[in-house]
Amino acid sequence: MSRMLSIEPLTKEAFAPFGSVIETDRASMRLINGGNTERFHALARVDVVGAGAIINIFRGQPRAFPYALAMMERHPLGSQSFSPVDDRPWLVVVAADEGGRPGRPRVFLASGRQGVNYGRNVWHHPLMALGAASDFIVVDREAPGDNLEEFFYDEAFVIPDPL
Amino acid sequence: MSRMLSIEPLTKEAFAPFGSVIETDRASMRLINGGNTERFHALARVDVVGAGAIINIFRGQPRAFPYALAMMERHPLGSQSFSPVDDRPWLVVVAADEGGRPGRPRVFLASGRQGVNYGRNVWHHPLMALGAASDFIVVDREAPGDNLEEFFYDEAFVIPDPL
């Protein structure tokens, strides 16, 4: 099987097995604050076990392509969300679990207005910013140190330049 | 006492009685992801009682000035964070509690890179976007409907044009 990965557009439906897409979809909208504000409600749920949740900012340096993807990680004790604040596209890389290790990665191209919430224990690649250093609002579990599992593939996959 | 409010710059120190400022301050930074990513860690804590936390997007229409501030609200059961994604300044309006009602409001001008987390039960004004419709990542408690207390001042305060 080819080690070259293809890139899919990020949609709620395609991403559903891995978590939630955080974007302004009409179905979730309710007017609040006397009509001043549209609330896109409950786009994702924070799912943390045995500790509280925190809000962080991650600043990711842009990745170079073609990218050799050699590892994946997951957080057994908590979901982790990424919401871009620089309106710049980025890559979301996830994999189904196959007996305790990640299967073939799937690569989604997110717009600069799309965030995701990785479900608890879902394999994913660390942050992949594109083009320039980019900031993300991140909601995850306190004490990330005891909540990390990494896996290294025998042979790297390759992500082509998405832009 | 004048009903005209003055506008202060938003700083961590000045805002401390009301909650946290969510911004990339060096003191909270740690390198992760093999040096690719700066993690500005635990800028705010999610504090919800009796229900889970959710991630939403709020889209606020810009306010007109001078603004007659007639009400405040608070959420007894949960913190609520706002992080701008359009890099546009906005106003943060809070008040100390005085025997179950909000005191004189304080008005902070936040940059487009500064978010806040209102502490649980802290009086604040609903979202005040400036200049154009603006989106915010919002982390708060599920079931917001049973978590809202409003107060209406006998006489409105006035916020001058901040820009």
Side-chain angles (χ1 to χ4, degrees):
Chain A
M1 192 162 55
S2 167
R3 306 306 286 181
M4 182 66 70
L5 300 170
S6 58
I7 299 177
E8 312 170 52
L10 179 66
T11 65
K12 227 174 256 290
E13 295 68 29
F15 194 69
F18 309 105
S20 305
V21 176
I22 301 170
E23 62 182 339
T24 55
D25 71 304
R26 285 288 125 193
S28 66
M29 200 277 280
R30 47 182 80 169
L31 271 180
I32 60 169
N33 296 344
N36 170 272
T37 304
E38 293 172 286
R39 178 184 175 115
F40 299 90
H41 181 70
L43 302 174
R45 287 187 161 69
V46 181
D47 174 20
V48 291
V49 176
I54 51 178
I55 303 170
N56 319 269
I57 298 174
F58 280 23
R59 176 168 294 164
Q61 294 301 314
R63 304 288 183 170
F65 295 91
Y67 183 85
L69 186 160
M71 65 85 67
M72 298 281 270
E73 66 180 34
R74 61 178 177 178
H75 308 298
L77 301 177
S79 59
Q80 187 176 46
S81 77
F82 289 83
S83 293
V85 302
D86 287 308
D87 201 1
R88 191 175 292 128
W90 59 296
L91 285 188
V92 174
V93 182
V94 289
D97 183 72
E98 296 182 355
R101 52 180 60 187
R104 184 180 175 86
R106 288 179 66 180
V107 184
F108 295 96
L109 178 59
S111 81
R113 308 297 293 194
Q114 289 182 307
V116 300
N117 191 36
Y118 298 116
R120 181 156 64 86
N121 221 24
V122 166
W123 291 108
H124 60 277
H125 189 274
L127 183 57
M128 299 198 78
L130 299 179
S134 304
D135 285 3
F136 295 78
I137 304 296
V138 174
V139 182
D140 62 3
R141 181 178 177 273
E142 279 196 286
D146 65 356
N147 181 29
L148 175 64
E149 185 179 351
E150 293 179 318
F151 178 84
F152 293 84
Y153 292 107
D154 287 337
E155 190 187 346
F157 292 90
V158 178
I159 304 176
D161 193 333
L163 296 181
Chain B
M1 193 164 55
S2 167
R3 308 305 287 181
M4 182 66 70
L5 299 171
S6 58
I7 299 176
E8 311 169 53
L10 179 66
T11 66
K12 227 173 255 289
E13 296 68 28
F15 194 68
F18 309 105
S20 304
V21 176
I22 301 169
E23 62 182 337
T24 56
D25 71 305
R26 285 288 125 192
S28 65
M29 201 276 280
R30 48 181 79 170
L31 271 181
I32 61 169
N33 297 343
N36 170 271
T37 305
E38 294 172 286
R39 178 183 176 117
F40 300 90
H41 180 71
L43 302 173
R45 285 186 163 72
V46 180
D47 175 19
V48 292
V49 176
I54 51 177
I55 303 170
N56 319 270
I57 298 174
F58 280 22
R59 177 168 292 164
Q61 295 301 314
R63 304 288 183 170
F65 295 90
Y67 183 85
L69 186 162
M71 66 82 69
M72 297 282 270
E73 66 181 32
R74 62 178 176 178
H75 308 298
L77 302 178
S79 59
Q80 186 177 45
S81 77
F82 289 82
S83 292
V85 301
D86 287 307
D87 202 1
R88 190 176 290 129
W90 59 295
L91 286 188
V92 174
V93 183
V94 289
D97 183 71
E98 296 183 353
R101 54 180 59 187
R104 183 181 176 86
R106 287 180 67 180
V107 184
F108 295 96
L109 178 60
S111 80
R113 309 296 291 195
Q114 289 181 307
V116 300
N117 191 35
Y118 298 116
R120 183 155 64 85
N121 221 25
V122 166
W123 291 108
H124 60 276
H125 189 275
L127 183 57
M128 299 197 76
L130 299 179
S134 303
D135 286 3
F136 295 77
I137 304 296
V138 174
V139 181
D140 62 2
R141 181 178 176 273
E142 279 195 286
D146 65 356
N147 181 28
L148 176 63
E149 184 180 352
E150 293 179 318
F151 178 83
F152 293 84
Y153 292 107
D154 286 338
E155 190 187 346
F157 291 91
V158 178
I159 303 177
D161 193 334
L163 297 181

